Amino acid sequence: MNSPLQAFLFDVDGTMADTERDGHRVAFNRAFEEYGLEWHWSVETYGELLAVTGGKERMKFYTEKFLQPAQVPDSIDQLIPGLHQSKTRHYTELLSTGAIPLRPGVERLINEARERGFRLAIVTTTTPENVTALLTHTLGAESIDWFEVIAAGDIVPAKKPASDIYDFTLKAMKLNATQCIAFEDSSNGIKSSVGANLNTIVTINDYTKDDDFSAASIVLDHMGEPDQAFTVLSDNPPETTFLDCDLVEQLHQQGQGKR
Ligand code: XBP
Ligand code: MG
C-alpha cells in the first residue's frame, strides 16, 4: 500500500547551500593558521578530502593520508577537538557576513512545504552550531523552529555514509522511510539516505557532479525557480522546470515499492 508523503528531510552542506569550497574549506584553513600549522587545503585537495565526512574525521584523514609523519604534531589526537572548535568559530563568523546564500529553489520549496503542512527535518554531519548559523543568516532565526528535528554532528556514532543519522531522524519523528523523502548532494549523502530506505532527490554541485547517483529518484543541477529552470541529469525528465511540492510528491509516489 502506498504511504502518503509526510516529511522532507534536508541535508545541509552542498544541498541547502554551497558551503564546502568557500565556507568550510576557508574556515579549516583559518583554524590551521590560528594554530600555527603550515597546512593549507586548496580547492582541489579539499575535493579529495570530502571523501570523509565530518570535520574532525576529515582532519585526521588528512594527517594520515596527505602528510609525512614529520609534518604531524605528536599531540594531534588531543589537538583535533580544539582545532575543530576554532574551525567552527571561523565558519560561523563567515556565515554571519551573509557570504553563503541558499541554493536556488531551497527557500521557495521550504516555504511551500510549510504552507502545505509537510513536516521538516535537517539531517547533517556538520555541527548544530553551523546549522543554526546558516539558518539564522539565510532564512532568519525563527526558521530554526520550522524543523521538527535537527539531527547534526556527533549525535550518532557513525556519520554519513552510514545510515545512522537518517535512522535517528525517522525514529525521532516516529515516521517510516516510506513516509519521507530526502534531499542530498553527494555520494556519501545518498548512501546514508538510501541506507535508511529513503527515496532521495539529488542536487549536484561542483564537488559531487561525478558521484554515483544511480539510486536517486531524480538528479538535478539545482532545485530551480520559476524563472530559472533546472537541468535534469537523470532519465525520464518531468514536464516541469523547477522542483515544487507536486513534483516532490510525484517522485515520492514513483519511488514507492522501489525500496
Ligand atoms: C558535510 C560534511 C561536513 C562539513 C564539515 O556532509 O562533510 O563534514 O564538511 O562539517 P553532509 P564539520 O553534507 O553529507 O552532511 O566540520 O562541522 O564536521
Ligand atoms: Mg551534503
Side-chain angles (χ1 to χ4, degrees):
M1 206 182 75
N2 284 354
S3 301
L5 180 61
Q6 294 202 31
F8 290 23
L9 314 183
F10 288 93
D11 169 50
V12 175
D13 295 302
T15 302
M16 291 182 74
D18 261 324
T19 50
E20 294 292 6
R21 193 191 66 185
D22 301 327
H24 289 293
R25 185 186 68 89
V26 172
F28 279 114
N29 285 332
R30 288 184 185 164
F32 300 154
E33 233 175 87
E34 189 181 314
Y35 272 65
L37 294 165
E38 286 181 14
W39 304 349
H40 180 83
W41 290 357
S42 66
V43 170
E44 200 188 346
T45 301
Y46 195 65
E48 295 174 49
L49 293 168
L50 282 172
V52 172
T53 63
K56 294 188 286 281
E57 294 80 354
R58 189 168 298 145
M59 287 189 276
K60 182 80 176 145
F61 173 70
Y62 175 70
T63 62
E64 289 168 354
K65 298 280 183 304
F66 287 72
L67 297 178
Q68 299 301 319
Q71 295 172 284
V72 183
D74 290 339
S75 55
I76 189 65
D77 286 341
Q78 286 76 52
L79 219 59
I80 280 180
L83 252 179
H84 192 244
Q85 273 171 17
S86 158
K87 178 257 165 177
T88 299
R89 182 166 38 77
H90 286 294
Y91 179 75
T92 53
E93 273 170 24
L94 218 152
L95 288 187
S96 72
T97 67
I100 313 241
L102 295 182
R103 296 190 65 194
V106 172
E107 180 169 2
R108 175 188 50 72
L109 185 67
I110 288 174
N111 286 336
E112 192 196 343
R114 293 184 66 232
E115 276 163 28
R116 292 189 39 175
F118 289 107
R119 295 163 66 186
L120 304 178
I122 293 230
V123 188
T124 178
T125 42
T126 202
T127 57
E129 296 96 300
N130 292 351
V131 178
T132 301
L134 183 74
L135 292 178
T136 303
H137 298 294
T138 54
L139 296 171
E142 67 282 5
S143 65
I144 294 159
D145 295 334
W146 301 348
F147 297 89
E148 189 178 319
V149 173
I150 296 186
D154 298 323
I155 203 166
V156 286
K159 293 190 173 146
K160 298 174 189 177
S163 65
D164 301 25
I165 194 84
Y166 278 102
D167 295 332
F168 172 94
T169 305
L170 292 174
K171 201 167 168 205
M173 296 177 91
K174 298 191 171 57
L175 289 172
N176 297 318
T178 52
Q179 298 169 300
C180 305
I181 197 149
F183 297 84
E184 277 288 354
D185 72 300
S186 68
S187 101
N188 280 326
I190 194 170
K191 276 184 195 148
S192 175
S193 58
V194 168
N197 288 319
L198 286 152
N199 289 305
T200 304
I201 292 173
V202 168
T203 46
I204 59 155
N205 58 61
D206 269 356
Y207 275 133
T208 66
K209 58 183 190 296
D210 298 322
D211 287 5
D212 176 8
F213 293 123
S214 47
S217 299
I218 196 169
V219 184
L220 305 169
D221 58 345
H222 52 71
M223 292 183 188
E225 294 284 15
D227 61 353
Q228 189 185 359
F230 55 39
T231 300
V232 181
L233 305 162
S234 48
D235 296 337
N236 305 321
E239 279 169 19
T240 42
T241 58
F242 64 94
L243 189 69
D244 60 6
C245 288
D246 285 343
L247 178 54
V248 174
E249 281 197 304
Q250 190 187 316
L251 293 164
H252 173 257
Q253 276 301 318
Q254 287 166 5
Q256 298 273 311
K258 282 197 190 159
R259 39 187 47 91

